[in-house]
Structure formats: C-alpha cells, structure tokens
Amino acid sequence: MTQIHDLPAHRLAAMVRSRELSPPEITEHYLHRIERYEPHYGAYITVASEMALEQARYAEKRQMGDTPDTLPPLLGVPLPVKDLDPVAGVRFTQGSAVHRDTVAPADSDLVARLRAAGTVMVGKTNTPEFGSSCYTENDVAPPARNPWNTDLSPGGSSGGAAAAVAAGLAPAAQGSDGGGSIRIPASACGLFGLKPTRGRISGAPFKPDLLGLSTAGPLTRGVRDAALLLDAMAFSRPGDLYPAPPADGPFADHVDRDPGRLRIGAYSSTGSSGIPVHPEVLAAHGEAVRLLEDLGHDIEEVPEPGDAHFGGAFADDFQVVWAAMASASPVPPEREGELGPLNRWLRERARSTPVPVYIAACARLQRGVRSLAAATAPYDAVLTPTLALPPVPLGHFSADGPEEEFGRMTAFTPFTSVYNVSGQPSVSVPLHRTADGLPIGSMLTGRMGGEGVLLALSAQLERARPWAHRVPPGWNG
C-alpha cells in the first residue's frame, strides 16, 4: 500500500489542494518517521516539531477556507532547511560548535519565500561546519549517513538534506552548493540535485555574493519536484551582484517539454591534475553517453576545462578562493580554537595569503571562465561524471590532517567546482548503480540561464530510465 512518504512533493501538494490529505496528516507522518528513523541517518541537526505542527494547522485552515486555485503551490508540503540558512526562532548552528546554542532572530529571504509557497519547515538538516567540506561530519551532531549503506557518507555539504530525502524523512529538501554541495550528495544518495544559474536565487539579506560561488537549490527524488521548488525559490533583491538571465516561463513547464535534438559535449578526464576516475564511474559515464545518443542527441567529446581553459591552475586558484570564503564566516577571535581542524587550517591559510595573490587567483579564474564560456557556447549541455568515486566510508576524508583532507576532497570532487566558478546551472541525475547497488550520478551542465533545457533533458532521461522506484534498504522499515 502506498504510504505518504512514497509520494513525491508535487503529488502531496496536489492531494492537499484536492483535500485528499490534510497538512497535519502529512506533517505528523514525517515527524513520526523522523522520530523513529533519524538516529540511523543523522539527517537533522534540529527537528522543529512544534513549529511544523503549528504551520501545518495554519495550512489546513487555508486548505479548507480558500479555493484550490488561490492556494500556494506547495501548501502543506514538509521541507527542511539546511542549517546554513536562518529560520526565525530555530537553532542556527551552521554545523559549528561555536554556534551550538545560537537561535536565529529572523528568516533569510529564501526561507520567507519557502514559507510563502506554503511549505512546512520540519527541521534544520545536517551540514559540515560552515559548509566547508564535501562530507557531513561535525562537532554538533552525529555524522550524516548514506541511507543506501549507513557505513558510507552521503557527501556534503548538503549531506543531511540528501540523507533526509533518500531515507524518506522529507519529500524534498533545500540545499546549497558552493563547490558541488548539492550535486555531490545527490550523486552519493541517488537523488536529483539542481544547482541553479548564479543569481537565480538571492542570498539576501545575510549572505554576501562575493564571487558568486554558492547558491541555494533543491534536492529531490524526481525532476518535477525540483522544478516546482526552483519556481518557489527563485528571486532577486536590489543590490545583488549577479542577476541571472530571465527565465523562460515557469520552470515546471519545462518538465513536460520535449528538449528536441541537443548538441552535448562530454568528458570524463581530470586532465593535468591526474586524479583517477573509478572504473564504475567511467562505465556509468559511458552508459549515459549511449543513453543520450539513443534518445537522438549528438554527443561530442570535449577537453577537460582545467587544462583547456584555466591553464592547468584551476585547482590551486580555487583552493585560494575556497580558503578566503571559509574566512568569511564571523567567529570571535577567542573562539577560533573551537573550530574544526579544516576550518582552522583554511582560515589561517586565508590570513597568510597576500591580497595580490588572492586577486591574481580571482583574475585567472575569470579569464578561464571567459575561455570556457566561449568554448562551450555551441553546446546545449555538457555531460560529465558528478564524482570521481562511488560513495566513500565515513571518516574517509578526515583521518590525516586538514591538508590531506582537502586533497582527498579534491580527488573525490574534481568535476563540480568549475561550474560554481562559471556560474552555469548544473544537475546531477541518478541514472546508475554500482555492482553493489550504490548510486552514481551523471552531471549535466547548461548555458547561463539554461535551467529549462536541463530540466527538459533530465525529465526525458527520467522517462527513459525511471529511478524513483529505487529506494534504499529500510525505506518501509
């Protein structure tokens, strides 16, 4: 028998509008699952049961009092928020012991958008300290675990969000992505993850744009849910440094469009970095190429961007910028010692980097982006693996000190961060499984403003090779 957690977010929203389900029924179901199963997965730092039930009761009043066509699009749909965005009145740790007891005084504008869309905020999902790593282990909560095998990491930094969705502890989740942090856990947990175009979702009023590496975005089981969430999340504010190109109508409309015959560039090499790509990842990439060809698209091999456009210096320059970004999170000097080893190392590196070195790194990255944009302009999308490896064990990254840790993170995620620097929209599509049944994602990246094409193409792939029926062990207890 189909249970509430088997249903996608768009179906839950439709059943609320038709009064087949009430928001309290849906919320209570998820809160019960969280209470029962959360200890296995470490998906949440904070569960906001009372707030969620209050919001659900208010949503029920709207459900019964308003006409269906005037209801918000996601009324009554539970949606957790990653603990890097503040929710008024809820603990806001940012994954750091420094903020273990901090309570947010106000919502971010994104959270306000999600409230206006009718979502029910069930809790704050687990994240590494300040979102600085590609795995989700910190000093304020148990580690997030991969629902496909709880000895493995779900990735990061939106690892708690991905674990919640993959384990059926939320129908969808808000995440954020500054170097791959939506796409990485989407790949590791068998989900669809979408990093929008730079500027599509404002960080106002609290997050500075800086280089525009990071953006919010959705983690979902299916493409339609991601499109609906992107419609709810997309907004800009005066003062944003990077306005996105206008959208071609509602993103949800693209899910039902035929993408047509597309020209797609593809690569699976890591170029001069010499980072090895796991054989099962390469096999999955080859399968994705063949599937796209079978669907009528034209596939061309293209050079790996780090070599062709960034002069082979991308990894070094990105590391300079990443350290600078890590230093942007305010921490009282007397509490620096409470930070985890990685953030202490990154912040010290930022402090010891002369401004001219930082400026030169930014300039080289921008020149590389200009070259990359020109070279990929003929393509409707670019296909790569999402990650170089299948999911890895808990503790894989952090055993041998922060410098080695950063090296292991780079070896795990050599494909994602270039598209944070370029600002292009990028998705991880859960097409593949290893011989042991673990997820492997394929990444598709579009032109600036090209989320619609990516959604249409991803929906075509989903129809050709459905994945929503695949659920991890323990899905139904």
Side-chain angles (χ1 to χ4, degrees):
M1 185 177 70
T2 300
Q3 300 186 62
I4 285 174
H5 64 274
D6 294 318
L7 299 171
H10 71 268
R11 181 68 181 132
L12 292 174
M15 294 179 80
V16 168
R17 285 194 297 276
S18 65
R19 299 180 181 174
E20 296 173 75
L21 282 174
S22 74
E25 281 181 274
I26 298 168
T27 300
E28 288 167 3
H29 179 87
Y30 274 104
L31 289 175
H32 174 73
R33 281 187 64 81
I34 292 167
E35 181 180 13
R36 183 176 179 184
Y37 297 114
E38 162 61 15
H40 301 298
Y41 302 117
Y44 288 86
I45 289 179
T46 301
V47 179
S49 301
E50 291 184 12
M51 173 182 286
L53 290 170
E54 181 181 349
Q55 290 178 346
R57 288 190 289 267
Y58 173 75
E60 185 179 32
K61 290 180 180 178
R62 295 202 62 181
Q63 176 194 34
M64 302 307 293
D66 294 0
T67 58
D69 60 344
T70 63
L71 294 175
L74 295 167
L75 185 72
V77 176
L79 189 83
V81 171
K82 183 177 176 180
D83 204 13
L84 295 183
D85 260 274
V87 175
V90 179
R91 193 163 65 129
F92 180 38
T93 73
Q94 301 174 72
S96 177
V98 173
H99 299 295
R100 184 188 301 273
D101 300 317
T102 300
V103 174
D107 290 338
S108 70
D109 284 1
L110 172 60
V111 170
R113 291 275 304 180
L114 294 173
R115 287 189 194 271
T119 63
V120 173
M121 211 292 292
V122 289
K124 303 297 292 295
T125 55
N126 207 348
T127 183
E129 188 171 57
F130 304 139
S132 296
S133 68
C134 66
Y135 65 99
T136 305
E137 300 166 36
N138 58 44
D139 293 330
V140 296
R145 296 175 179 271
N146 194 319
W148 291 92
N149 179 339
T150 54
D151 292 330
L152 304 180
S153 171
S157 63
S158 304
V165 178
L169 307 185
Q174 174 263 345
S176 59
D177 190 318
S181 291
I182 287 172
R183 292 158 291 159
I184 293 163
S187 178
C189 293
L191 302 174
F192 183 73
L194 189 157
K195 180 194 85 68
T197 296
R198 174 181 291 142
R200 182 70 69 203
I201 300 173
S202 175
F206 305 116
K207 293 182 181 179
D209 293 336
L210 300 177
L211 289 180
L213 296 181
S214 184
T215 177
L219 279 151
T220 61
R221 289 169 58 201
V223 178
R224 189 177 302 278
D225 285 355
L228 286 170
L229 275 172
L230 185 56
D231 278 323
M233 297 166 78
F235 74 104
S236 61
R237 288 287 183 264
D240 289 349
L241 295 181
Y242 305 105
D248 180 18
F251 293 109
D253 289 354
H254 292 271
V255 176
D256 296 314
R257 294 182 185 175
D258 184 337
R261 183 172 183 170
L262 302 180
R263 186 181 180 190
I264 299 173
Y267 66 90
S268 58
S269 165
T270 59
S272 63
S273 68
I275 294 171
V277 180
H278 193 278
E280 289 197 90
V281 173
L282 291 174
H285 179 74
E287 289 178 19
V289 168
R290 289 189 290 274
L291 176 58
L292 288 165
E293 289 176 333
D294 289 345
L295 291 170
H297 303 295
D298 298 319
I299 313 298
E300 300 177 25
E301 286 294 319
V302 298
E304 187 272 329
D307 281 340
H309 308 291
F310 291 89
F314 176 82
D316 291 339
D317 289 336
F318 186 79
Q319 191 173 135
V320 169
V321 170
W322 195 252
M325 294 285 291
S327 73
S329 298
V331 176
E334 68 274 12
R335 302 196 66 180
E336 287 265 347
E338 298 176 47
L339 297 174
L342 178 64
N343 272 288
R344 290 201 307 272
W345 179 73
L346 287 170
R347 291 165 77 92
E348 180 55 38
R349 174 164 183 168
R351 281 191 288 264
S352 63
T353 299
V355 170
V357 172
Y358 171 77
I359 295 297
C362 293
R364 283 191 296 267
L365 288 173
Q366 186 178 18
R367 286 196 295 270
V369 166
R370 286 171 171 160
S371 175
L372 174 66
T376 58
Y379 301 104
D380 300 293
V382 175
L383 170 73
T384 71
T386 307
L387 299 171
L389 299 171
V392 297
L394 293 172
H396 168 83
F397 298 98
S398 58
D400 299 308
E403 190 165 1
E404 175 65 19
E405 179 178 347
F406 200 91
R408 291 185 184 185
M409 291 197 297
T410 302
F412 186 54
T413 65
F415 297 104
T416 54
S417 58
V418 67
Y419 298 113
N420 294 87
V421 174
S422 73
Q424 294 165 257
S426 189
V427 300
S428 183
V429 186
L431 292 175
H432 311 287
R433 293 290 183 274
T434 68
D436 294 332
L438 297 175
I440 294 179
S442 292
M443 190 166 74
L444 287 160
T445 301
R447 299 186 179 106
M448 290 294 283
E451 292 97 329
V453 172
L454 290 181
L455 288 165
L457 178 57
S458 298
Q460 183 187 52
L461 290 168
E462 187 176 25
R463 290 190 293 270
R465 189 171 292 177
W467 59 71
H469 64 283
R470 300 176 185 154
V471 294
W475 178 263
N476 285 317

